[in-house]
Amino acid sequence: MRYAIFGDIHANLEALETVLYDASQAGCTEFVCMGDIVGYNANPVECLNKVRDMGCPVVKGNHDEEAIQDTSLEGLNPLAKRAMEWTRAQLNEVDRQWLGDLKFVRQVRDFTVVHATLDTPGGWTYVTNKFDAMASFSYQFTQLCFYGHTHTPKIYTKADRVEEYDGLSVVMEDGVKYFVNCGSVGQPRDGDWRSSYAIYDDEARQIEIRRLEYDIATAQQKIIDAGLPEMLAHRLALGK
Ligand code: ZN
């Protein structure tokens, strides 16, 4: 079977629809969401409805958690604060309940999915190097795990030691574990504005990260029209 693993959608409906269409065209029949459906961009409710209606496994991201709380946003920078206030105001009680019920970690068939890290799933720290990856590998009990949160696609491997894999497509080998960042559907930050997600083929034992152009102009215009900070529209084009 072919699985599409996608997340860090961040309320970008144009990007989400593009990814889901591409995944279907590529023969994916199973879908798994690694969290952060909402936050930053202009279509949180539409994205939430789309993912919920798919009925696929979903794990909770930090923005999903933040969006359903009524805690103070004083610690955030003004840009993030404004975006989160706006997002909170869009969600109804049913949406909040659904987001609140999401788990931090899920096992799907032979692989695991988490938003940020396996060592402290609700702590929202970032895996940015192989030492961070090492901590997650200690809690990885399947050969393969998908994660996100940094908005940067990356593959780490662990055999005798943890290595950063050179490339974004790999055929899995026996005796090696894989910790794979799918990148971000709706707000990539690796300098490439195109949407990112992963396909896992469990028969070919292959993992592939795909990048896709989407209708960024529409997504940007929606951000402006919603009265969200313009910087959020600009950064989409920068891939930051
Ligand atoms: Zn995110």
Side-chain angles (χ1 to χ4, degrees):
M1 270 190 300
R2 283 165 75 77
Y3 296 81
I5 303 94
F6 63 102
D8 286 302
I9 300 159
H10 287 295
N12 186 334
L13 185 62
E14 286 67 34
L16 176 60
E17 287 179 335
T18 299
V19 161
L20 296 179
Y21 178 75
D22 183 75
S24 305
Q25 293 295 105
C28 294
T29 54
E30 311 297 313
F31 293 80
V32 180
C33 178
M34 59 75 173
D36 271 4
I37 297 168
V38 304
Y40 294 122
N41 299 307
N43 286 126
V45 173
E46 293 80 356
C47 289
L48 193 153
N49 283 336
K50 194 165 256 306
V51 174
R52 180 168 50 197
D53 290 350
M54 289 168 70
C56 63
V58 183
V59 292
K60 188 186 288 179
N62 52 311
H63 284 256
D64 304 322
E65 182 177 79
E66 187 76 49
I68 60 168
Q69 291 173 347
D70 47 17
T71 48
S72 157
L73 296 166
E74 289 312 315
L76 296 182
N77 71 55
L79 195 72
K81 183 167 178 254
R82 171 82 193 101
M84 188 46 75
E85 280 168 350
W86 183 89
T87 298
R88 284 179 175 179
Q90 309 305 309
L91 303 174
N92 66 28
E93 197 43 52
V94 176
D95 301 333
R96 274 193 286 275
Q97 185 76 41
W98 187 82
L99 287 172
D101 287 344
L102 296 175
K103 305 274 180 291
F104 290 127
V105 185
R106 296 275 304 253
Q107 187 176 334
V108 182
R109 302 293 178 99
D110 62 347
F111 63 91
T112 308
V113 190
V114 67
H115 184 66
T117 72
L118 283 172
D119 48 312
T120 52
W124 311 124
T125 52
Y126 293 86
V127 175
T128 56
N129 56 51
K130 63 183 181 181
F131 302 102
D132 301 331
M134 214 179 282
S136 272
F137 273 123
S138 310
Y139 293 86
Q140 184 177 323
F141 305 114
T142 53
Q143 189 185 4
L144 172 62
C145 177
F146 292 97
Y147 74 107
H149 195 42
T150 64
H151 298 203
T152 300
K154 182 87 72 183
I155 299 175
Y156 292 99
T157 59
K158 180 173 188 286
D160 294 336
R161 56 185 174 194
V162 174
E163 301 282 2
E164 190 176 324
Y165 183 75
D166 183 18
L168 293 173
S169 173
V170 67
V171 176
M172 291 167 66
E173 292 173 34
D174 290 344
V176 181
K177 280 185 176 178
Y178 297 83
F179 190 52
V180 178
N181 192 318
C182 316
S184 170
V185 170
Q187 196 198 70
R189 292 182 195 155
D190 59 338
D192 180 346
W193 67 272
R194 297 173 302 159
S195 285
S196 177
Y197 79 104
I199 291 181
Y200 168 50
D201 186 319
D202 66 353
E203 279 154 37
R205 309 289 290 150
Q206 185 165 21
I207 302 153
E208 179 201 354
I209 310 276
R210 290 166 80 97
R211 301 303 291 257
L212 298 169
E213 295 188 0
Y214 68 94
D215 182 1
I216 189 173
T218 298
Q220 288 175 312
Q221 191 58 48
K222 284 181 178 178
I223 290 168
I224 311 271
D225 292 347
L228 283 159
E230 272 186 41
M231 187 55 209
L232 292 173
H234 294 318
R235 75 185 291 183
L236 284 184
L238 301 173
K240 287 191 185 174

